Amino acid sequence: MTKRAVFPGSFDPITLGHVDIIKRALPLFDEIIIAIGVNAQKKYMFSLEERKHFIETAFNEYESVQVKTYTGLTADFCKAENAQFILRGLRNTADFTYEQTIAQANAKVMDVESLFLLASPAVSYISSSIVRDIARNGGDYSALVPFSI
Ligand code: ADP
């Protein structure tokens, strides 16, 4: 059976923290789908096209990595894609607390297992929201992202 994981997120924008998790997960799965969640209620800084383009550029040499978009429940998207696993990164206890109940509910209700990798210390402080803050104020965030600005 193909071991397929979905790495879901807003990726507004993708950062070196996301890249680190995905690259470290490559040996664990046959395929990884980077899944950009689209929520009509949410306001994004980068357009869906930009977010997708940044990710595709970062991973265009990786044959086992695909980039897709989805709406609705992540677990439903996993079912539709025949993915048995949700991949997530954990930076701190706040991430853990947020993820715990979602992962437990997904396992119980949807039969989708979640796998977590701890953030690498070198990038554990990076978040898309810090990048957006710097961008909003005209700063240089190029050291935090895998694309050139
Ligand atoms: P969401 O809006 O679902 O939190 P994000 O795009 O912010 O989506 O993050 C997607 C995933 O990447 C989450 O599991 C998040 O914890 C993880 N992640 C984000 N930044 C980092 C980082 N610096 N190191 C490790 N994991 C990270």
Side-chain angles (χ1 to χ4, degrees):
M1 204 203 326
T2 305
K3 272 190 284 170
R4 192 173 288 122
V6 164
F7 184 59
S10 314
F11 304 106
D12 188 27
I14 187 166
T15 69
L16 292 179
H18 298 125
V19 171
D20 175 72
I21 295 290
I22 296 160
K23 289 195 174 166
R24 286 166 53 215
L26 286 173
L28 304 176
F29 303 104
D30 300 309
E31 291 177 21
I32 297 176
I33 301 171
I34 305 175
I36 310 173
V38 180
N39 179 345
Q41 260 48 281
K42 218 167 149 178
K43 277 229 179 313
Y44 299 98
M45 172 171 276
F46 296 90
S47 71
L48 183 58
E49 291 68 32
E50 285 174 312
R51 285 180 282 147
K52 194 160 186 266
H53 175 70
F54 294 150
I55 302 172
E56 281 169 345
T57 307
F59 286 96
N60 67 351
E61 283 167 23
Y62 294 81
E63 281 186 5
S64 63
V65 177
Q66 302 172 56
V67 187
K68 299 195 176 184
T69 62
Y70 74 103
T71 54
L73 292 177
T74 304
D76 282 334
F77 178 72
C78 292
K79 292 278 175 212
E81 296 290 330
N82 282 319
Q84 309 92 327
F85 305 102
I86 295 174
L87 171 66
R88 297 285 284 175
L90 294 177
R91 286 163 288 193
N92 46 44
T93 52
D95 275 355
F96 174 80
T97 304
Y98 175 77
E99 299 287 347
Q100 184 180 20
T101 50
I102 299 171
Q104 288 168 338
N106 279 335
K108 174 79 178 169
V109 179
M110 309 293 284
D111 200 27
V112 180
E113 198 65 73
S114 297
L115 286 171
F116 299 94
L117 288 182
L118 287 183
S120 295
V123 292
S124 65
Y125 67 94
I126 302 176
S127 65
S128 297
S129 62
I130 284 184
V131 170
R132 291 196 301 274
D133 259 357
I134 297 171
R136 217 173 277 125
N137 291 288
D140 177 6
Y141 56 87
S142 54
L144 309 182
V145 296
F147 53 90
S148 43
I149 59 171

